[in-house]
Amino acid sequence: MNEHIYNLKDPFPYSYKGEMVDASFVTLIEPGYQQLNHVVPIKQAFMSAITGLNVSEEDKAKAAADTDTDTDTEMDGDGVIQLLMQWDGDLTQVYKNAEKVFKAGGAQIDGQEKMTQALLDKFSLKDFEVLVGEYIANFIVPSLMGGQ
Amino acid sequence: MSTQLNDIIILVNNAQVAYTADSLSWKDGFGEYAMRNAVVGGGQTEQVFAKDLSTKFGMVKFTMPSIQENEDNKRAWKTNDNNNVVELIGPSGSNFTKIFTQAAILDDPETNAATDGNIEVEFSANPAQ
């Protein structure tokens, strides 16, 4: 199963094996069937955001020019969130579904501690938003583009 | 105006616990102090003060409704030996936080299977941070 690591910008303390330690990264885990109910709405939201973009002819030409170079144009977490911010759908619902994915095995703190609501409550807003973006960029977008 | 400390969030191993109202109590782990007199003569005494370091343990106890989830939690915490962490967090706006590391359930916790039955849990731990 594929994994992706996101390094936290704002670490926070959590309990592990009887001690308080500082979280430094989150391991994101490729979605499986048990996350189906929460992943599908995120996919739909992202597709809706992509197709709803009002892209000017100039920007389309720029994008075409970019693909002619060797520049890496892969979208990262920040890029995904900026895209979704322009979407006129309910981004809060996307975040809530992402929360459920993370708590259902989609994310681990430091690769060792299962995500819980109490841990999510400790995230900074900045880290949480980019975390959702990274999840979409690394697992949702590839699956929409024809598999990983 | 002062607010009573009766609305506390309990986290055990990063998971929130739903507990019976008014059942939570804790000891910070200062330990017991001893005081005795030493006679200096002429009817005078002076105090001899000591801290009993053997009693420096934190304690958190509460009861939870006897439901399957809490029964599973009780078993998990017990078998986790002293690798539990209990966090007490005050209401929003307060700066009340206490953390008890290396917490263990020393006794054999009892579950009461009644209509309003509870599970009693008592952790002994390092002194509160």
Side-chain angles (χ1 to χ4, degrees), chain B residues 73-128:
Chain B
N73 281 337
K74 175 198 83 176
R75 292 182 61 84
W77 300 337
K78 178 68 179 175
T79 57
N80 207 23
D81 299 335
N82 68 337
N83 294 312
N84 301 298
V85 174
V86 182
E87 297 173 70
L88 304 181
I89 303 168
S92 171
S94 78
N95 58 1
F96 175 89
T97 304
K98 289 188 189 286
I99 299 172
F100 297 83
T101 57
Q102 291 188 301
I105 299 176
L106 300 184
D107 66 355
D108 199 350
E110 185 174 318
T111 301
N112 177 232
T115 307
D116 56 353
N118 288 317
I119 303 170
E120 297 178 12
V121 168
E122 180 170 334
F123 287 95
S124 293
N126 288 334

Side-chain angles (χ1 to χ4, degrees), chain A residues 15 18-20 113 116 118 122, chain B residues 13-14 83 85 87 101-102:
Chain A
S15 75
E19 299 292 347
M20 294 300 282
E113 186 70 12
T116 63
K122 294 182 177 183
Chain B
N13 301 335
N14 304 309
N83 294 312
V85 174
E87 297 173 70
T101 57
Q102 291 188 301

Side-chain angles (χ1 to χ4, degrees), chain B residues 2-3 8 23 27 29 32 45 52 68 71 81 89 96 111-113:
Chain B
S2 304
T3 305
I8 306 290
S23 70
K27 292 184 186 177
E32 292 171 9
T45 60
D52 185 352
Q68 185 62 52
E71 180 67 13
D81 299 335
I89 303 168
F96 175 89
T111 301
N112 177 232

Side-chain angles (χ1 to χ4, degrees), chain A:
Chain A
M1 192 157 275
N2 287 336
E3 294 180 354
H4 174 76
I5 290 184
Y6 168 71
N7 291 312
L8 290 165
K9 305 291 186 292
D10 299 313
F12 54 82
Y14 71 103
S15 75
Y16 182 67
K17 289 193 174 172
E19 299 292 347
M20 294 300 282
V21 297
D22 280 334
S24 53
F25 64 91
V26 179
T27 303
L28 295 170
I29 301 161
E30 183 185 356
Y33 182 77
Q34 61 268 41
Q35 290 106 14
L36 178 74
N37 286 344
H38 310 303
V39 168
V40 167
I42 299 174
K43 274 190 177 184
Q44 289 178 318
F46 185 76
M47 277 304 291
S48 176
I50 288 278
T51 54
L53 271 181
N54 190 16
V55 181
S56 68
E57 290 306 316
E58 184 187 343
D59 285 342
K60 280 182 191 169
K62 258 192 210 168
D66 279 345
T67 57
D68 291 336
T69 70
D70 290 332
T71 309
D72 182 2
T73 55
E74 273 186 21
M75 202 174 262
D76 65 359
D78 268 318
V80 166
I81 292 303
Q82 283 171 27
L83 175 71
L84 286 172
M85 286 290 178
Q86 300 171 56
W87 177 50
D88 58 6
D90 187 358
L91 183 54
T92 309
Q93 202 50 50
V94 173
Y95 288 157
K96 286 192 189 303
N97 279 312
E99 262 187 36
K100 290 175 184 170
V101 170
F102 297 155
K103 289 188 291 189
Q108 289 178 334
I109 301 291
D110 288 346
Q112 62 195 10
E113 186 70 12
K114 186 180 171 234
M115 189 69 77
T116 63
Q117 188 59 53
L119 289 172
L120 282 167
D121 289 346
K122 294 182 177 183
F123 272 75
S124 67
L125 181 61
K126 180 175 54 178
D127 265 333
F128 178 75
E129 287 189 322
V130 178
L131 186 71
V132 175
E134 290 285 328
Y135 189 86
I136 294 172
N138 285 281
F139 301 125
I140 305 290
V141 170
S143 73
L144 287 170
M145 301 298 157
Q148 295 166 296

